[in-house]
Amino acid sequence: MKKTPLASRFTQQLVRVNDQICFAALQQWDFAKRLEPLVVSRPKDFSTDVFPTNPYAEAIYRRVSELADMSGDAAIVALQMGVVASVEHLLAYMEEVQTFREDLIADDGDAICNDAEEEQLRLKITRWQGSEPASQYFRTLGYFRHLRNHYAHVNPKPVPAFATYIRSYGTPLNSFWNNGVTDVHGVDFKTLAGSSLTPELAFGVMNLLRVCLWHVDEMVAETLTLADAVRWIVQQIRSAPRNRIMDARRLEAKITARLRMEWNLKADARTIQQAIDEALAA
């Protein structure tokens, strides 16, 4: 299999957050340009005097000379919160995809647990596929999990655990992502946590998160078979009472369409029908 049905939903959410980051950058740049002459000509005037029609001018009530710094701070907060939200979405994906896969195929081995969600998923994929997956995607997600905490806790510098992580994986991650394929917009894993977050760096983080999601999801999908996917789709379709009685041609058409849309898979009709027959007989 090439992807799981979860990939599209979480990719769309990352795209949505990326669009908000782009909009925040556009808005901040435009406001800063409009503010520049006002800082020179009316530095002591209050926001209510300079923006009399703005309903929020009274809420902020600052002199124009203070607004430039506040605008810059607001931009940084918006960028950081975009990164925090995106990492949360990835963590939610990793939690959901483990449950999804384990619901499809029972795991009889000892439970695999780890405080780091990405490491727990890596260990499970190793068991599911019988070999070690490419570790740097998980190391990247681990880095951004630490960065999320760094921003959320307003730490002036990386905590010891994050600092150790940077020393261990900063250089390897830089080498791994310097591949000429993914545009990282200048992200340096050794220095990012100590740098002021800019729109360009935020764009790089978002690109990295999306690529990690795609690759990790593909790893999980590759541990599943066409029969697994068809069995899941049949269960989904027949869970609705109105679909419990459905003629064979319509059922095959629905399953074929969902395999293409949700799993990015095309298969010949005979193979699909065989998988449907096995799912219905189970």
Side-chain angles (χ1 to χ4, degrees):
M1 308 304 290
K2 297 181 180 180
K3 72 171 188 173
T4 75
L6 300 180
S8 295
R9 174 160 60 95
F10 282 95
T11 297
Q12 289 170 3
Q13 189 60 24
L14 289 181
V15 170
R16 180 172 177 268
V17 176
N18 186 75
D19 288 345
Q20 295 303 310
I21 288 175
C22 292
F23 182 79
L26 179 149
Q27 188 178 49
Q28 194 280 331
W29 187 92
D30 186 68
F31 182 74
K33 288 298 180 183
R34 289 190 289 118
L35 195 61
E36 283 178 3
L38 294 174
V39 171
V40 174
S41 62
R42 305 174 64 179
K44 295 184 179 181
D45 287 357
F46 283 93
S47 51
T48 48
D49 300 319
V50 179
F51 306 107
T53 61
N54 190 315
Y56 303 107
E58 186 175 356
I60 193 168
Y61 199 69
R62 292 290 193 280
R63 294 187 187 276
V64 171
S65 58
E66 300 175 78
L67 292 181
D69 288 341
M70 295 187 72
S71 174
D73 291 342
I76 292 173
V77 169
L79 297 175
Q80 289 182 347
M81 291 305 101
V83 170
V84 168
S86 298
V87 176
E88 289 290 343
H89 294 322
L90 261 295
L91 291 171
Y93 161 79
M94 287 189 282
E95 180 180 350
E96 283 195 34
V97 83
Q98 291 173 63
T99 301
F100 173 77
R101 205 276 184 187
E102 289 161 355
D103 285 345
L104 271 176
I105 304 176
D107 194 341
D108 297 328
D110 294 336
I112 295 175
C113 299
N114 194 289
D115 289 339
E117 196 73 46
E118 75 285 347
E119 179 62 9
Q120 178 172 295
L121 178 55
R122 187 189 71 82
L123 293 171
K124 288 185 178 182
I125 291 174
T126 299
R127 174 188 285 178
W128 296 336
Q129 68 182 18
S131 61
E132 292 274 348
S135 63
Q136 298 295 27
Y137 297 110
F138 299 93
R139 300 286 181 257
T140 302
L141 292 174
Y143 182 97
F144 288 132
R145 175 175 54 79
H146 281 289
L147 187 67
R148 174 209 62 174
N149 295 341
H150 179 70
Y151 290 154
H153 291 276
V154 202
N155 294 323
K157 63 180 182 179
V159 296
F162 192 13
T164 299
Y165 201 96
I166 293 170
R167 285 195 299 270
S168 299
Y169 302 118
T171 298
L173 287 176
N174 282 339
S175 299
F176 178 75
W177 289 107
N178 186 24
N179 53 26
V181 177
T182 304
D183 188 353
V184 301
H185 289 271
V187 167
D188 184 331
F189 289 91
K190 294 178 67 176
T191 62
L192 178 61
S195 305
S196 178
L197 191 62
T198 65
E200 287 72 24
L201 290 174
F203 299 155
V205 171
M206 295 303 298
N207 284 348
L208 289 163
L209 289 173
R210 282 197 300 272
V211 172
C212 284
L213 171 61
W214 295 336
H215 281 281
V216 170
D217 187 76
E218 185 176 28
M219 292 176 197
V220 176
E222 286 175 348
T223 71
L224 299 168
T225 66
L226 173 64
D228 296 323
V230 169
R231 186 173 68 255
W232 179 81
I233 295 172
V234 168
Q235 291 171 351
Q236 291 282 304
I237 291 174
R238 300 189 74 183
S239 63
R242 67 180 182 277
N243 292 333
R244 288 174 186 167
I245 301 176
M246 182 181 294
D247 65 80
R249 290 183 60 184
R250 187 178 174 209
L251 181 62
E252 181 185 345
K254 278 182 170 289
I255 291 172
T256 300
R258 290 185 62 168
L259 282 171
R260 185 174 62 253
M261 291 186 297
E262 297 174 350
W263 297 81
N264 193 27
L265 179 72
K266 292 182 180 180
D268 64 87
R270 179 177 298 179
T271 303
I272 293 174
Q273 187 58 55
Q274 182 180 351
I276 294 173
D277 292 341
E278 293 174 356
L280 293 175

